Amino acid sequence: MTPHILRARLRAVALLGAATMALTGCATSSTEAADAPVQADVAAAPDATVAPEEAVAPTRVSALDIDEGAGVIRLATDRGVYVAALPDTDTAARSTTVLGDRTDDIKAYQRVGARLLISGHPHDPAASADERLGLWVGDASSGEWQPFALAGEVDFHAITAAGPTPADAIIAAADTASNSLYYSPDGGESWQKGAVIGATSLAFTSDGSTLVAVTPVGVKVSTDRGRTFVEPEAAPALQLVATPPVGTKDWRIVGVDSAGALWRSSDGDRWEQFGALAVVPAALALGKSGEVIYVATTEGVFVSNDGGETLTLMVELGW
């Protein structure tokens, strides 16, 4: 079918529902010195078995993943990871399917090569409301999930990764249980607990030397693996930040502020506005090259090639 073309500035009312799906924030605390390294622990992984008749449609999107290599779009939701085919230029996808057998309340999601990392809360009626998944890993193709690290210990609400290849990836994540930043130098095998920062969105620079953190009191950056953070002199009041998939050569950081303005940076210190959206989306994602951005709202997944001026529907969310 011919995609719907939406003029962003004329669709503010239709997109206002996206505000209700914004990522859940964390309480802000002052930066503290880092603790000793924390090793991965999968022994206490919670069980999560969901009967088909208990399936409930998602109500919130927490992350968006554009996997051009696999030809799919993935959405992390409060009912698991959903997948849709990456549509051709003259069509829009209308259906999504859950990936695998887990329907957890996912708060953080990151793809590293063929691995999908998720964190949040298990979808288990017998579990307490504050039970934590820790970090789980899934196969991007098969949808097979298994506990990976920090099982039952952390509740990541933001996660990011960078590196020349997925095999060399470094990872950072923000835990809402402690408001601490966690850093992994080896793809998630081991973890170091860093500053208490209350981050709600994270992004690395291209070489991983600088970590950008969105916090309730503004953007902060770290150059020591998340042990300490400082505030840039003129950073915008960002709500979300995003980077391309790990291994992308054309690396950039893109953010959206509280007014919907789009910003870009290469170092986390200097920011340039290059466009605007009608409202802050629920999730923001980048592809491998160019100025193309992708956003998720209550209506669906949209792509823009002109700084948010025009949003083209890619996937309708019929939940």
Side-chain angles (χ1 to χ4, degrees):
M1 63 177 277
T2 301
H4 302 287
I5 306 299
L6 305 180
R7 294 291 174 182
R9 293 192 177 91
L10 299 180
R11 295 285 290 166
V13 174
L15 296 178
L16 282 176
T20 63
M21 301 197 312
L23 297 175
T24 304
C26 305
T28 305
S29 301
S30 60
T31 302
E32 296 180 354
D35 296 332
V38 180
Q39 296 299 319
D41 175 18
V42 301
D47 293 326
T49 303
V50 180
E53 62 272 19
E54 295 180 355
V56 177
T59 61
R60 172 182 51 77
V61 175
S62 57
L64 175 62
D65 173 21
I66 308 299
D67 191 341
E68 296 163 275
V72 300
I73 297 171
R74 300 185 188 91
L75 299 107
T77 78
D78 55 345
R79 293 291 176 177
V81 176
Y82 279 72
V83 184
L86 194 61
D88 297 329
T89 55
D90 59 346
T91 61
R94 287 181 172 273
S95 63
T96 58
T97 57
V98 68
L99 180 65
D101 59 358
R102 298 201 65 84
T103 55
D104 302 305
D105 182 2
I106 298 173
K107 301 293 188 179
Y109 168 99
Q110 174 67 43
R111 175 167 57 90
V112 181
R115 297 187 303 156
L116 309 180
L117 304 178
I118 62 170
S119 186
H121 305 278
H123 178 53
D124 182 355
S128 63
D130 60 352
E131 187 164 343
R132 306 157 190 162
L133 274 178
L135 190 66
W136 280 61
V137 62
D139 183 275
S141 299
S142 68
E144 296 180 1
W145 299 95
Q146 60 183 345
F148 183 50
L150 305 172
E153 297 180 35
V154 296
D155 177 17
F156 292 149
H157 279 213
I159 188 168
T160 191
T165 68
D168 303 311
I170 57 175
I171 303 172
D175 174 37
T176 59
S178 63
N179 278 345
S180 297
L181 192 287
Y182 279 71
Y183 176 89
S184 174
D186 51 15
E189 296 292 338
S190 65
W191 292 87
Q192 302 163 4
K193 192 175 181 181
V196 176
I197 195 71
T200 56
S201 190
L202 298 167
F204 277 116
T205 54
S206 60
D207 60 359
S209 62
T210 300
L211 176 63
V212 177
V214 174
T215 79
V217 294
V219 172
K220 298 182 182 296
V221 296
S222 172
T223 57
D224 58 3
R225 299 184 171 188
R227 295 177 65 86
T228 61
F229 283 81
V230 297
E231 186 173 346
E233 291 185 2
L238 299 178
Q239 301 295 300
L240 294 170
V241 286
T243 56
V246 173
T248 300
K249 293 183 179 180
D250 185 14
W251 194 265
R252 64 250 186 236
I253 304 173
V254 170
V256 58
D257 68 19
S258 56
L262 290 165
W263 299 79
R264 59 190 169 199
S265 175
S266 60
D267 59 12
D269 284 316
R270 293 164 293 183
W271 293 85
E272 174 191 16
Q273 184 177 353
F274 69 97
L277 299 167
V279 73
V280 179
L284 176 70
L286 305 181
K288 291 183 177 180
S289 62
E291 298 298 332
V292 181
I293 63 168
Y294 303 85
V295 298
T297 75
T298 51
E299 293 186 330
V301 177
F302 298 84
V303 60
S304 177
N305 297 282
D306 55 9
E309 179 68 21
T310 304
L311 297 177
T312 302
L313 180 66
M314 299 181 71
V315 181
E316 289 186 23
L317 299 181
W319 300 332

